[in-house]
Amino acid sequence: ESIREFAFGYAPDCYFQSEQSRNAQPANEKNKAAIEKKSWGEGSLVEYLANLGFTPDEIVESGLAVRTKGMVSKRGIGKSVKDGTLSTEETDDRSRDEEKGETIHESDYSSLMDRFRGRLVVPIMDASGKHVIAFGGRHLEIPLVDETDDSKRFTPAKYINSPDSLIFTKKDVLFNEHRAKSAMDEKSSQHFETEDPRSRKNTFKTPPAVIIVEGYFDAIALANINVKNVVASMGTALPYEQLKKASAMANVPGGRIILCMDSDDAGKNAVERLCTNSILATTSELNRNEIYVASLPSDTKDPSDFVDFAGGGIRAKEQFEKEIIDTVQPLDEWYIDRVVSRYDPDAKDGNYGSFSSVCDEISSFLSTFSNPADRTRRAYNISEKLSNLIASDVDKNSSSIGMMRVQLETDIINMSARKAS
């Protein structure tokens, strides 16, 4: 069902994998003949587009192919792909990399390779869901070279997207936006539910949220268990353009967003950057009080893994909602807890992890709140966490802890106010 709904495709590697196959030991003579018949680049998208009359520049500019850096000419590949003959004659110097300042002949296809080779490919749609504006490809765990030779080992990026173009700019696009918008509209209509048809009493439900994940396959995995209000940022970066689009989907002021990034350092650092830069403070369309962070279990890398471990289906959905969505933290609370967790009692004053360093990070974060009342309200709760860091078990049961908390609260408010000004 997912294959049809999301229009999955596969781009075979007609280059490295074909070469590996020729070097492999064939199972029988029939396989040997089939392997030997396959040439470098034969059956590729570049070959197909060349036969349709597209020029090398047009193929590259479309984002469907990339120029190699002299690799093809070194392998002795001819440049008459368009004619359907992939000769083994060595190419001339015109097929060298353009980055070296040398030109590539306008009819030379030998320096091109399919961009999405060896990847599972999914189309990226516009906000209406009617037009394909780009593609995304996930690398499949197939070795591209002989892994017995470490010098030839190559690990490609796990995910790649089409390059930015006139119709696609990644920071302005959310994968699965059109489906998530429909789901949000449906959820919004159920925002108030009547308990008894004969009464006018309504039950207020938590406003529906847009869930942002990193990869498109995370979004697809959640959609498969009927979590439809999910979009993917297609990377660890969270630019304000994508956040604004997500917040606009929710029919509450400022929107309501749940960030469900990967559990690795890259995912957590992406959320941290939202707290340490000025995006939230300078973008009026975003309500920072309606941005939440979902935390995955430590042994789960991403939402797709969570769905797999939970077994899929209705059970996975219930588990995801109970363990992940129902336990989200407000963005500022999540960040404060993360900063406090860095405290190291053995760190020297001023060094990373020291108490002064933790206080400095927290006050810098509070300074991004333009309203002093917002800083004061948060400082009250933060001071309790800070006092617990440095107070001994005996102190926690004494009146001195209260005095310490008041002093810390005052210090944090003053530090953040000075930075804000």
Side-chain angles (χ1 to χ4, degrees):
E1 183 178 343
S2 294
I3 294 176
R4 290 194 300 270
E5 182 178 358
F6 290 93
F8 283 150
Y10 174 67
D13 188 345
C14 299
Y15 307 91
F16 294 102
Q17 288 167 18
S18 294
E19 186 174 79
Q20 272 193 303
S21 298
R22 290 194 297 275
N23 296 332
Q25 186 67 32
N28 51 53
E29 289 300 317
K30 183 177 180 181
N31 288 345
K32 181 179 180 180
I35 290 172
E36 290 179 346
K37 185 179 178 181
K38 205 74 169 174
S39 301
W40 173 279
E42 185 177 354
S44 65
L45 180 60
V46 168
E47 180 186 43
Y48 176 76
L49 294 176
N51 288 330
L52 289 179
F54 291 97
T55 67
D57 285 344
E58 289 172 335
I59 297 174
V60 171
E61 289 172 4
S62 71
L64 297 174
V66 294
R67 294 196 189 278
T68 61
K69 298 185 177 181
M71 182 193 310
V72 177
S73 61
K74 289 179 182 179
R75 293 179 180 271
I77 306 301
K79 59 180 185 295
S80 55
V81 181
K82 185 176 179 181
D83 299 329
T85 59
L86 293 170
S87 72
T88 56
E89 296 177 2
E90 191 160 331
T91 58
D92 58 26
D93 290 339
R94 289 174 300 182
S95 62
R96 292 180 184 174
D97 187 19
E98 284 183 308
E99 293 180 5
K100 297 178 181 178
E102 301 181 27
T103 60
I104 295 178
H105 195 274
E106 62 180 7
S107 62
D108 182 6
Y109 295 84
S110 66
S111 63
L112 307 188
M113 293 179 70
D114 294 353
R115 174 183 290 272
F116 297 102
R117 60 191 181 278
R119 292 178 181 272
L120 191 61
V121 181
V122 60
I124 300 171
M125 315 295 288
D126 64 3
S128 70
K130 297 179 180 178
H131 308 104
V132 176
I133 56 175
F135 293 97
R138 186 192 190 284
H139 170 59
L140 300 181
E141 303 303 323
I142 301 174
L144 295 184
V145 295
D146 183 5
E147 292 203 343
T148 60
D149 185 351
D150 288 337
S151 65
K152 296 182 179 179
R153 186 171 298 175
F154 171 63
T155 303
K158 184 176 181 180
Y159 292 100
I160 61 172
N161 301 307
S162 296
D164 285 359
S165 65
L166 291 175
I167 60 173
F168 173 70
T169 304
K170 195 179 81 166
K171 66 183 178 65
D172 295 326
V173 177
L174 288 168
F175 176 78
N176 200 47
E177 180 182 350
H178 62 290
R179 296 184 184 90
K181 184 65 170 68
S182 298
M184 289 297 295
D185 291 341
E186 182 179 349
K187 284 178 174 289
S188 296
S189 66
Q190 302 168 356
H191 187 45
F192 287 96
E193 289 190 351
T194 302
E195 286 186 338
D196 187 344
R198 294 170 295 180
S199 72
R200 296 183 178 180
K201 183 179 179 181
N202 288 327
T203 300
F204 182 81
K205 299 181 68 178
T206 302
V210 177
I211 303 171
I212 299 181
V213 297
E214 283 187 35
Y216 16 77
F217 287 96
D218 294 322
I220 292 170
L222 291 177
N224 283 343
I225 61 172
N226 207 34
V227 178
K228 303 289 188 180
N229 51 316
V230 58
V231 295
S233 61
M234 299 179 288
T236 54
L238 288 168
Y240 77 94
E241 292 91 347
Q242 288 185 335
L243 292 173
K244 285 198 297 184
K245 289 178 75 72
S247 67
M249 294 184 194
N251 294 325
V252 294
R256 188 168 187 265
I257 299 171
I258 293 177
L259 304 176
C260 188
M261 311 299 281
D262 289 3
S263 61
D264 57 9
D265 288 340
K268 293 175 181 177
N269 291 339
V271 180
E272 270 201 36
R273 284 193 293 271
L274 283 181
C275 302
T276 56
N277 59 31
S278 60
I279 288 179
L280 298 179
T282 58
T283 308
S284 59
E285 295 92 340
L286 293 174
N287 181 353
R288 65 193 303 167
N289 295 317
E290 290 295 344
I291 300 179
Y292 300 82
V293 181
S295 298
L296 295 169
S298 57
D299 59 347
T300 305
K301 184 182 183 302
D302 52 41
S304 178
D305 280 353
F306 185 93
V307 172
D308 289 341
F309 294 154
I314 187 65
R315 179 181 176 182
K317 179 185 179 183
E318 292 174 351
Q319 193 171 335
F320 181 78
E321 292 177 342
K322 180 180 179 180
E323 298 181 12
I324 308 301
I325 301 303
D326 292 347
T327 60
V328 297
Q329 282 184 285
L331 178 64
D332 56 337
E333 290 184 16
W334 177 89
Y335 178 71
I336 294 301
D337 285 347
R338 184 157 168 80
V339 174
V340 168
S341 70
R342 292 199 274 264
Y343 173 64
D344 179 4
D346 297 325
K348 293 183 179 180
D349 192 34
N351 290 347
Y352 181 84
S354 65
F355 187 75
S356 60
S357 174
V358 169
C359 291
D360 183 60
E361 283 192 76
I362 289 175
S363 61
S364 296
F365 169 63
L366 290 181
S367 69
T368 63
F369 290 84
S370 58
N371 188 339
D374 287 333
R375 298 197 293 267
T376 301
R377 177 171 62 84
R378 286 167 172 81
Y380 177 81
N381 295 324
I382 292 170
S383 63
E384 180 177 11
K385 296 180 179 182
L386 292 176
S387 60
N388 287 335
L389 284 181
I390 57 176
S392 66
D393 292 336
V394 176
D395 291 336
K396 290 178 182 178
N397 296 322
S398 66
S399 59
S400 62
I401 188 69
M403 298 175 60
M404 183 188 301
R405 175 176 174 173
V406 171
Q407 184 61 52
L408 284 169
E409 180 183 351
T410 302
D411 291 344
I412 290 295
I413 291 174
N414 290 337
M415 290 170 66
S416 61
R418 285 196 299 270
K419 292 179 178 181
S421 62

